[in-house]
Amino acid sequence: EIVLTQSPATLSLSPGERATLSCRASQSVSSYLAWYQQKPGQAPRLLIYDASNRATGIPARFSGSGSGTDFTLTISSLEPEDFAVYYCQQRSNWPRFTFGPGTKVDIK
Amino acid sequence: QLQLQESGPGLVKPSETLSLTCTVSGGSISSSSYYWGWIRQPPGKGLEWIGSIYYSGSTYYNPSLKSRVTISVDTSKNQFSLKLSSVTAADTAVYYCASSGLQLVPDYWGQGTLVTVSS
């Protein structure tokens, strides 16, 4: 089973700052990595799929990069609504998939 | 645009079977364009994929839950269902149904339903 680790566990930043979130896979997942945003009491929302493709309606301040085992989600300038938990998810053995443990982005 | 809605009991007794249904609107559950799946989230914790089903009836389960899980489709009602047997307190979670389309990632989600396992 492919295990995903995310770092840091918590990221404390101010609005307008740049956020850089990391996801590492225990073995190569090629580019089959997605990112989700989850706010309290809500279902996760797809942000990025296949490492770098923004989902429909996702603002350009969200970008993804990486391949193989190391991936990054970047939020170029944090808006108040971006403070949430972010999960990475791999689908290299689709239709089976796994999620990372999440990174919480909170207000400094 | 697809919409998904979970339904089922919010409280299940230990050792019993958890049963949930996801009703799909805005699209056909018989479409070859989607996979349908269940994902859960224990309170305050992360996301866990439970399993998925394709319109053909092919099923795929998380190995850690495989012996207890059954996912099925009811095309006449445009629904798919989850059964999880022999539940314990560790199965207490918000259960989400979701669809995966052309991008092969869950992109439409239900709002989630909290299921508590307690006597």
Side-chain angles (χ1 to χ4, degrees):
Chain A
E1 177 186 326
I2 297 174
V3 176
L4 299 177
T5 56
Q6 292 186 244
S7 61
T10 303
L11 192 56
S12 296
L13 295 169
S14 300
E17 288 193 295
R18 182 184 188 90
T20 303
L21 288 67
S22 176
C23 178
R24 177 165 289 178
S26 60
Q27 63 189 77
S28 177
V29 297
S30 186
S31 294
Y32 302 137
L33 191 104
W35 291 92
Y36 292 83
Q37 176 194 68
Q38 188 179 34
K39 297 178 181 179
Q42 297 184 16
R45 173 194 181 197
L46 177 66
L47 299 175
I48 301 286
Y49 64 93
D50 290 351
S52 61
N53 296 289
R54 272 191 302 277
T56 302
I58 301 304
R61 65 180 181 273
F62 292 92
S63 63
S65 63
S67 66
T69 60
D70 291 299
F71 299 86
T72 300
L73 174 70
T74 301
I75 310 171
S76 59
S77 178
L78 282 164
E79 297 288 338
E81 62 268 28
D82 298 337
F83 293 92
V85 179
Y86 292 83
Y87 294 95
C88 58
Q89 174 244 323
Q90 67 82 22
R91 65 168 184 90
S92 68
N93 49 346
W94 175 263
R96 299 168 181 83
F97 51 87
T98 54
F99 292 93
T103 290
K104 183 177 182 180
V105 178
D106 66 14
I107 300 176
K108 188 174 182 180
Chain B
Q1 174 163 317
L2 284 178
Q3 293 188 325
L4 292 83
Q5 177 68 58
E6 306 89 351
S7 59
L11 181 64
V12 180
K13 290 183 169 55
S15 79
E16 295 190 345
T17 296
L18 178 159
S19 296
L20 295 173
T21 296
C22 183
T23 301
V24 178
S25 57
S28 172
I29 204 159
S30 301
S31 171
S32 61
S33 299
Y34 303 107
Y35 282 77
W36 310 99
W38 291 94
I39 295 157
R40 71 180 182 178
Q41 185 171 37
K45 296 187 178 181
L47 299 162
E48 179 181 36
W49 171 70
I50 299 170
S52 300
I53 189 166
Y54 193 43
Y55 81 104
S56 61
S58 297
T59 52
Y60 310 86
Y61 299 134
N62 186 324
S64 68
L65 298 169
K66 185 176 182 178
S67 63
R68 300 194 291 131
V69 173
T70 303
I71 296 175
S72 59
V73 167
D74 185 337
T75 56
S76 67
K77 295 181 180 179
N78 222 38
Q79 296 175 334
F80 64 104
S81 298
L82 168 70
K83 292 188 185 300
L84 181 66
S85 64
S86 305
V87 297
T88 69
D91 295 310
T92 293
V94 174
Y95 285 76
Y96 295 100
C97 59
S99 67
S100 300
L102 295 176
Q103 287 79 22
L104 299 182
V105 289
D107 48 4
Y108 290 98
W109 297 62
Q111 65 185 27
T113 187
L114 174 63
V115 179
T116 301
V117 178
S118 175
S119 55

